[in-house]
C-alpha cells in the first residue's frame, strides 16, 4: 500500500502520467476536480462567502485564507489515508512530507515541449498566447508554494523523483512507478504511515466516496 503525489509543470505530461500509472496499479486519482468536490461536500459552509461566487477554490489568482489552506491540508491527508491513490497537484506533497509510504514525484519537460502540449490539448492556435499561459501558471504555482508552505518550486529535496517526461517518456516512468508501488506493497511501512493519519471520520468517508466516483477529465493545466 502506498500513496503517490505528482507535482508537475503545466504541459509536462504529469496528468497523463498519473492516469497511466493509475491504470497499471488500479489506483484512484485525486486531481483538482476530485479534491474540490470533497471540499464542497464536506465543508463548503466553512468557507468565506467570497468563495460562493468564485466558481472554483483554485483560481490561479485567488489568495487562500489560512482557514482554507488548513482545510485543504486536512482533505489531502484524508485522501492519503484512503491509500492506493495518486494525488495530482494542489501541493499534495507538502502536507504528506515525511510519511514513509508516500512517494513524491515531480514531472518536468522543456518549455517548448510544454507549450506544444498546452496548445495541442487546449485548442490554442496562437503560440504566444500559450507561452503566456504557461508562464502565468508557473508563476502562480511558485507563488502558492512560497506563500503557503515556504517552499521554492525549484527545490527538488521534497521529492523522491524529479523526472523529465520528454526525455524518459510517460510509459517508462509509469512502469517504474508501478514497480515501485508493487515493492512497497510487499513490505510493512515504517512509521509514520499514511494509514496512521488522524482525520475526521466524516471527511474520510466523503473522500472515499468521491474517489470512487467518476468526474469529467481534467485538462493538464
Amino acid at each position: 500500500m502506498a500513496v503517490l503525489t505528482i507535482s508537475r509543470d503545466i504541459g509536462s505530461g504529469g496528468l497523463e502520467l498519473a492516469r497511466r500509472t493509475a491504470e497499471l496499479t488500479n489506483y484512484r486519482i485525486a486531481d483538482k476536480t476530485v479534491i474540490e468536490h470533497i471540499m464542497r461536500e464536506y465543508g463548503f459552509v466553512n468557507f468565506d462567502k467570497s468563495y460562493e461566487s468564485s466558481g472554483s477554490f483554485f483560481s490561479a489568482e485567488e489568495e487562500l485564507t489560512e482557514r482554507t489552506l488548513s482545510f485543504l491540508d486536512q482533505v489531502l491527508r484524508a485522501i492519503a489515508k484512503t491509500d492506493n491513490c495518486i494525488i495530482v497537484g494542489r501541493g499534495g506533497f507538502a502536507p504528506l512530507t515525511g510519511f514513509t509510504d508516500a512517494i513524491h514525484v515531480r514531472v518536468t519537460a522543456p518549455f517548448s515541449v510544454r507549450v506544444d502540449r498546452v496548445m495541442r490539448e487546449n485548442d490554442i492556435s496562437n503560440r504566444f498566447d500559450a507561452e503566456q499561459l504557461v508562464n502565468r501558471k508557473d508563476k502562480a504555482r511558485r507563488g502558492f508554494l512560497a506563500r503557503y508552505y515556504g517552499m521554492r518550486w525549484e527545490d527538488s529535496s521534497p521529492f523522491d523523483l524529479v523526472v523529465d517526461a520528454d526525455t524518459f517518456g510517460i510509459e517508462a516512468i509509469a512502469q517504474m512507478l508501478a514497480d515501485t508501488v508493487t515493492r512497497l506493497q510487499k513490505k510493512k511501512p515504517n512509521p509514520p504511515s499514511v494509514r496512521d493519519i488522524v482525520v475526521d471520520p466524516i471527511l474520510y468517508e466523503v473522500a472515499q466516496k468521491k474517489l470512487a466516483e467518476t468526474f469529467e477529465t481534467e485538462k493538464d493545466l
Side-chain angles (χ1 to χ4, degrees), residues 110-141:
F111 183 78
S112 60
V113 173
R114 295 164 56 206
V115 172
D116 288 342
R117 179 185 286 269
V118 167
M119 293 180 67
R120 183 172 63 252
E121 295 187 356
N122 297 276
D123 298 321
I124 299 175
S125 58
N126 187 299
R127 188 171 188 83
F128 177 77
D129 289 343
E131 290 176 347
Q132 291 293 98
L133 175 60
V134 171
N135 284 325
R136 188 168 67 250
K137 291 287 187 178
D138 283 352
K139 181 179 179 180
R141 291 177 182 182

Side-chain angles (χ1 to χ4, degrees), residues 165-178:
D166 185 57
T167 299
F168 291 92
I170 297 296
E171 184 64 27
I173 303 169
Q175 290 287 348
M176 179 179 63
L177 292 178

Side-chain angles (χ1 to χ4, degrees), residues 48-61:
D48 294 335
K49 291 183 179 180
S50 60
Y51 286 95
E52 295 180 10
S53 59
S54 68
S56 172
F57 295 126
F58 300 122
S59 299
E61 294 78 15

